[in-house]
């Protein structure tokens, strides 16, 4: 059975395209930046290649989409599903009833660390007498004035439960119930950890390029065996 014909539901993770702060590594949580020109090109390229009828992300197979309320994520969603090949030709689009804009998949709230570089955060904490034995690690320590790892875990687990409720009745097909999350680099990596039932501070190195797509699913058509695709063959285009 090919990947395209596989009946097991999938979860597509879509990271927003480049912003000005993405380029220089500044922590971008609640700051409402728009995509750069290059960021727009990144998402459009992904849309052309991967989104549309008969493609990897087929709008006709999507049960629901969750989108972060930040401008960069909303802009990415629009580019992926409104201005991409998914809305050209046969007119396939995503119904508004299938889209939820929610803080549950917003970027980690960095609080006092918003707009800072990792080195600046660590230097500031050291100056305040913190982290005398080990360097600051967001996965473990969270953010002063922002979210803790426990708070992020709680909201992601809530979303995961909602997704599994949609997908569980169709683990062997019957209905196409793929879902999409359009969000941010750190929160999507955190989501992947929780999907795999790892603690959010587990040492699981993950990378996620701007404008990229990640894929999660289940092994053996089993709701209790969440997994991720190390690689997936793309559908053959006529």
């Amino acid at each position: 059975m090919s990947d395209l014909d596989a009946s097991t539901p999938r979860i597509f993770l879509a990271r927003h395209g480049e912003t000005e702060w993405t380029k220089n590594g500044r922590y971008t949580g609640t700051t409402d930046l728009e995509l750069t020109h290059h960021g727009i090109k990144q998402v459009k390229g992904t849309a052309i290649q991967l989104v549309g009828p008969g493609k990897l992300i087929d709008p006709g197979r999507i049960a629901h989409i969750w989108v972060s309320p930040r401008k960069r994520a909303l802009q990415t969603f629009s580019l992926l599903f409104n201005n991409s090949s998914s809305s050209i030709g046969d007119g396939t689009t995503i119904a508004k009833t299938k889209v939820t804009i929610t803080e549950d998949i917003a970027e980690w709230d960095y609080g006092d660390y918003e707009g800072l570089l990792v080195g600046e955060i660590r230097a500031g904490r050291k100056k305040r007498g913190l982290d005398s034995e080990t360097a600051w690690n967001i996965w473990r320590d969270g953010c002063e004035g922002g979210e803790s790892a426990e708070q992020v875990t709680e909201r992601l687990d809530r979303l995961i439960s909602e997704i599994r409720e949609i997908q569980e009745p169709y683990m062997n097909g019957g209905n196409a119930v793929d879902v999409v999350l359009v969000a941010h680099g750190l929160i999507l990596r955190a989501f992947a950890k929780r999907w795999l039932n790892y603690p959010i501070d587990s040492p699981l190195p993950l990378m996620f390029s701007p404008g990229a797509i990640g894929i999660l699913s289940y092994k053996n058509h089993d709701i209790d065996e969440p997994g991720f695709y190390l690689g997936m063959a793309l559908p053959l285009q006529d």
Side-chain angles (χ1 to χ4, degrees), residues 108 139-140 149-150 152-153 156 190 193-194 198-202:
W108 198 309
W139 303 104
R140 179 189 65 236
E150 292 76 19
V152 171
T153 296
L156 291 180
K193 289 184 179 185
R194 293 306 302 145
Y198 291 150
I200 208 165
D201 63 347
S202 61

Side-chain angles (χ1 to χ4, degrees), residues 28-230:
T28 318
T30 56
T31 303
D32 232 358
L33 300 179
E34 295 187 353
L35 303 182
T36 62
H37 178 68
H38 181 64
I40 291 171
K41 290 175 65 177
Q42 287 174 325
V43 179
K44 284 185 174 180
T46 296
I48 290 169
Q49 296 295 326
L50 301 181
V51 183
K55 296 186 178 181
L56 181 65
I57 305 176
D58 188 332
R61 297 182 58 85
I62 293 174
H64 207 82
I65 301 176
W66 285 267
V67 186
S68 163
R70 305 296 172 255
K71 286 181 181 178
R72 56 198 184 276
L74 293 169
Q75 192 176 4
T76 297
F77 165 70
S78 178
L79 291 168
L80 286 175
F81 293 101
N82 295 338
N83 298 327
S84 73
S85 55
S86 63
S87 61
I88 298 172
D90 66 359
T92 301
T93 56
I94 299 296
K96 290 183 179 180
T97 55
K98 290 186 175 183
V99 180
T100 298
I101 299 171
T102 175
E103 291 283 347
D104 279 353
I105 199 61
E107 184 58 292
W108 198 309
D109 184 347
Y110 298 127
D112 298 345
Y113 305 157
E114 184 77 6
L116 300 181
L117 303 173
V118 172
E120 294 172 335
I121 296 170
R122 288 178 174 165
R125 288 175 63 93
K126 186 175 182 179
K127 188 175 182 180
R128 295 192 299 278
L130 302 173
D131 311 326
S132 58
E133 296 183 1
T134 58
W136 172 77
N137 183 311
I138 189 171
W139 303 104
R140 179 189 65 236
D141 304 318
C143 301
E144 294 175 283
E147 284 185 296
S148 66
E150 292 76 19
Q151 288 172 314
V152 171
T153 296
E154 180 181 357
R155 63 179 169 101
L156 291 180
D157 285 358
R158 180 169 58 242
L159 179 55
I160 287 170
S161 294
E162 193 172 350
I163 291 170
R164 289 182 177 160
E165 184 176 346
I166 290 172
Q167 295 183 330
E168 184 173 13
Y170 307 104
M171 297 304 293
N172 291 286
N175 275 354
V177 287
D178 289 342
V179 303
V180 182
L181 307 181
V182 185
H184 315 267
L186 193 68
I187 202 65
L188 289 174
R189 285 181 282 153
F191 181 93
K193 289 184 179 185
R194 293 306 302 145
W195 182 263
L196 299 171
N197 295 319
Y198 291 150
I200 208 165
D201 63 347
S202 61
L204 183 64
L206 298 170
M207 297 182 290
F208 207 149
S209 299
I213 301 293
I215 310 171
L216 302 170
S217 187
Y218 310 86
K219 293 179 63 180
N220 304 315
H221 304 276
D222 189 338
I223 194 76
D224 295 320
E225 293 191 55
F228 69 93
Y229 277 98
L230 188 60

